[in-house]
């Protein structure tokens, strides 16, 4: 690997330091962090088709959420995803769906997973702590 690639990788690794710190901090208060996330999702998406169908605006507790939003399969979401495919907005999320990514799984051949910019940010936030602890520091000192 040439020095530019090593430098780019090192900079990317260092850019994950804050994400790792946030994750470590969250480990001390998992209930609070999860409740905050749930309330933000409910508030943000209360006026979507899915949010109205499940009365997101009225949900105040985790128990209420569990009672109003039952466990579901992809088949339960497919009508909503079909509406997104047809161009309708504010179906599952207030945020624009940037793409529908095909995925395959054990229950059916093809599923379309709606992606948004915030979903991608959440994936990045989830990856940051893993990257920070996975890459050996010795690999970064060869610059």
């Amino acid at each position: 690997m040439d020095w530019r690639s090593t430098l780019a990788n090192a900079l990317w690794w260092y850019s994950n330091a804050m994400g790792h710190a946030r994750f470590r901090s969250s480990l001390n208060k998992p209930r609070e962090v999860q409740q905050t996330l749930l309330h933000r999702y409910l508030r943000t998406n209360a006026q979507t088709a899915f949010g109205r169908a499940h009365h997101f605006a009225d949900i105040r507790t985790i128990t209420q959420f569990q009672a109003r939003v039952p466990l579901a399969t992809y088949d339960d979401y497919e009508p909503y995803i079909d509406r997104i495919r047809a161009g309708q907005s504010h179906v599952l999320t207030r945020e624009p769906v940037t793409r529908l990514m095909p995925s395959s799984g054990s229950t059916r051949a093809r599923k379309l997973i709606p992606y948004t910019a915030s979903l991608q940010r959440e994936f990045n936030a989830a990856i940051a702590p893993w990257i920070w602890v996975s890459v050996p520091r010795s690999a970064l000192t060869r610059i």
Side-chain angles (χ1 to χ4, degrees):
M1 184 181 314
D2 74 3
W3 70 270
R4 289 173 295 226
S5 298
T6 303
L7 177 61
N9 286 334
L11 291 172
W12 179 61
W13 180 75
Y14 281 112
S15 74
N16 288 288
M18 285 302 292
H20 177 259
R22 277 191 297 275
F23 174 76
R24 296 283 301 175
S25 173
S26 296
L27 293 176
N28 297 323
K29 50 187 177 188
R31 179 178 293 274
E32 178 185 330
V33 170
Q34 291 297 306
Q35 286 177 331
T36 298
L37 286 170
L38 176 61
H39 290 138
R40 185 176 72 216
Y41 295 147
L42 293 171
R43 211 174 34 252
T44 301
N45 296 299
Q47 296 308 312
T48 63
F50 190 81
R52 285 190 302 273
H54 293 89
H55 308 283
F56 280 9
D58 300 327
I59 296 174
R60 301 289 179 260
T61 67
I62 291 172
T63 304
Q64 288 176 334
F65 176 79
Q66 292 168 331
R68 293 192 185 168
V69 185
L71 294 176
T73 66
Y74 184 83
D75 291 337
D76 298 315
Y77 289 100
E78 192 168 31
Y80 293 102
I81 293 169
D82 288 342
R83 290 167 64 179
I84 294 168
R85 285 181 65 206
Q88 189 175 347
S89 59
H90 305 148
V91 178
L92 291 171
T93 177
R94 290 286 297 170
E95 188 174 0
V97 172
T98 56
R99 62 183 170 253
L100 290 166
M101 293 292 293
S103 173
S104 63
S106 58
T107 59
R108 62 190 297 164
R110 182 172 178 254
K111 300 174 187 172
L112 293 176
I113 311 301
Y115 270 70
T116 63
S118 63
L119 178 61
Q120 187 62 56
R121 283 190 300 275
E122 288 185 13
F123 283 149
N124 293 344
I127 290 169
W130 173 63
I131 293 300
W132 183 256
V133 299
S134 298
V135 176
R137 271 90 177 146
S138 61
L140 302 170
T141 59
R142 292 183 232 139
I143 301 174

